[in-house]
Amino acid sequence: MKKILITGVTGQDGSFMADFLLGNTEHTIIAGVRRLSVKNHGNIQHLLDNPRFRLIDFDVSDQANVEQVISEENPDYFINFAANSFVGNSWTQPVSHMTTNCLAVLYQLEAIRKYSPDCRYYNAGSSEEFGDVLHSPQSELHPLRPRSPYGVSKASARHMVKVWRDSYQLFAIQGWLFNHEGTRRGEEFVTRKITKNVARIKNEYVLNNFKPLELGNVDAKRDWSDAEDFVEGVWLMLNQEEPKEYVLSSNETHSIREFIEEAFNFAGFAVEKCEWVGKGVDEKYIHEGKVLVQINPDFYRPAEVDLLWGDSSEARRDLGWKPKSSFLDLVKKMVDHDLAYG
Ligand code: GDR
């Protein structure tokens, strides 16, 4: 029985990882949680009474705290899902992105090097590190060309993980996770924003008094998967013989526009009865004369990553991993959940 320290456990990925490990292994989870004045335990409420799940106070940006926890707990695995993960905010809060996504990784690597050198370490990397892509699809060999402060923070962390791995023979890796979504996704990310608003509009539509969903660039393309498939891939990555980093992705790319169409379609606004009219900021998605979606330039980013499209063939070959859910399975699951629970 091993001890696994997970950070970011109240978020989507950390909580799915805890579910996966408690359901599929005998290991114990130490859940590192930052103390907040208002508890945000929604995603882990169902785990709080589990004897193999233990909460501890953990602040990734406090080096003394990180060193103390690692030296006292001596974990066998450290899975770092704590991050400032909203790309759109990273232009207004660049320092906190560098602190949480990069400097914090340095604290963790140093603490592991000093106190727990046999600990297997995973830091969540991102397709945003590829950024201004040179070619598609993107595999592990694609150069790092970040286009946001968020992308810079993750790319910098990647270099550190590699240097600490090579210099100190640590099992430290940072897999590239393409977009991954689900019913626990934060509501500011585009997929959940869409499915939450589809559910709201479905309920308010009959009253003929609803606000359209407002979005930014609907032509950007992303490679979306189900986050529950990814946590399994991360666990496989952590349990190889040698520390090697892999891309996890669906190997398909879809535009935000397609996500919108499919999400409304699953809620009963048939694609054939809807149409896009207008151009640029005036573009609208209309159903029987009513505007479902309109563009709000406030949601445009100062620099956009237009296209992300992963190539996870190495992970599929070496780890035997592949996603179980398709793009449409994912959209349907999220819409059904938000229609049922609001
Ligand atoms: P992303 O996810 O930036 O890819 O990063 P997000 O869902 O925020 O944006 C995806 C694309 O949608 C466009 N978009 C909008 N985005 C948001 N959030 N809100 C809008 O209203 C909107 N309108 C259009 C964006 O411009 C963008 O092109 C996610 C995060 O989880 C990262 O932490 C992770 O590393 C990467 O995925 C892989």
Side-chain angles (χ1 to χ4, degrees), residues 54-122:
R54 174 161 58 93
L55 288 183
I56 55 164
D57 279 339
F58 195 82
D59 182 345
V60 291
S61 59
D62 184 324
Q63 185 175 15
N65 182 215
V66 173
E67 299 224 337
Q68 184 210 347
V69 166
I70 292 184
S71 61
E72 283 175 9
E73 295 286 352
N74 224 327
D76 298 291
Y77 295 86
F78 186 135
I79 303 177
N80 185 38
F81 279 133
N84 264 0
S85 59
F86 188 41
V87 177
N89 260 7
S90 70
W91 280 272
T92 48
Q93 298 171 348
V95 176
S96 88
H97 276 75
M98 283 306 279
T99 306
T100 311
N101 299 352
C102 186
L103 196 56
V105 172
L106 175 57
Y107 298 158
Q108 293 164 16
L109 290 167
E110 271 295 88
I112 288 172
R113 175 181 75 77
K114 288 193 229 164
Y115 305 110
S116 222
D118 293 329
C119 174
R120 292 187 167 216
Y121 176 76
Y122 180 85

Side-chain angles (χ1 to χ4, degrees), residues 12-70:
Q12 169 184 263
D13 296 355
S15 61
F16 280 139
M17 180 55 98
D19 284 347
F20 172 76
L21 291 172
L22 291 169
N24 294 279
T25 73
E26 307 216 307
H27 306 322
T28 302
I29 309 289
I30 309 161
V33 176
R34 189 160 44 115
R35 190 171 283 281
L36 297 171
S37 48
V38 181
K39 284 194 173 133
N40 59 342
H41 288 171
N43 288 334
I44 53 167
Q45 199 63 43
H46 60 294
L47 302 177
L48 296 177
D49 292 332
N50 189 316
R52 289 196 287 130
F53 184 85
R54 174 161 58 93
L55 288 183
I56 55 164
D57 279 339
F58 195 82
D59 182 345
V60 291
S61 59
D62 184 324
Q63 185 175 15
N65 182 215
V66 173
E67 299 224 337
Q68 184 210 347
V69 166
I70 292 184

Side-chain angles (χ1 to χ4, degrees), residues 64 108 148-149 163 167 207 224 229 241 254 257 275 292 299:
Q108 293 164 16
S148 62
V163 170
S167 310
L207 308 172
W224 283 296
D229 289 337
E241 277 188 18
H254 298 273
R257 191 185 292 278
E275 59 176 340
L292 302 178
F299 296 111

Side-chain angles (χ1 to χ4, degrees), residues 10 18 80 98 144 147 160 206 220 229 240 247 259 263 277 326:
T10 54
N80 185 38
M98 283 306 279
L144 306 182
R147 242 169 109 67
M160 257 166 10
V206 279
D229 289 337
Q240 316 160 76
V247 159
F259 197 106
V277 297
S326 69

Side-chain angles (χ1 to χ4, degrees), residues 85 126 150 179 185 188 190 193 216 220 222 256 301 304:
S85 59
S126 169
Y150 170 87
N179 294 57
R185 187 58 150 149
E188 71 274 32
V190 78
K193 182 173 172 184
R222 290 291 181 274
I256 317 296
R301 295 179 178 175
E304 178 65 281

Side-chain angles (χ1 to χ4, degrees), residues 113-142:
R113 175 181 75 77
K114 288 193 229 164
Y115 305 110
S116 222
D118 293 329
C119 174
R120 292 187 167 216
Y121 176 76
Y122 180 85
N123 185 45
S126 169
S127 45
E128 283 292 311
E129 296 170 54
F130 300 131
D132 188 11
V133 300
L134 292 176
H135 54 77
S136 287
Q138 295 88 43
S139 72
E140 294 79 3
L141 300 176
H142 191 285

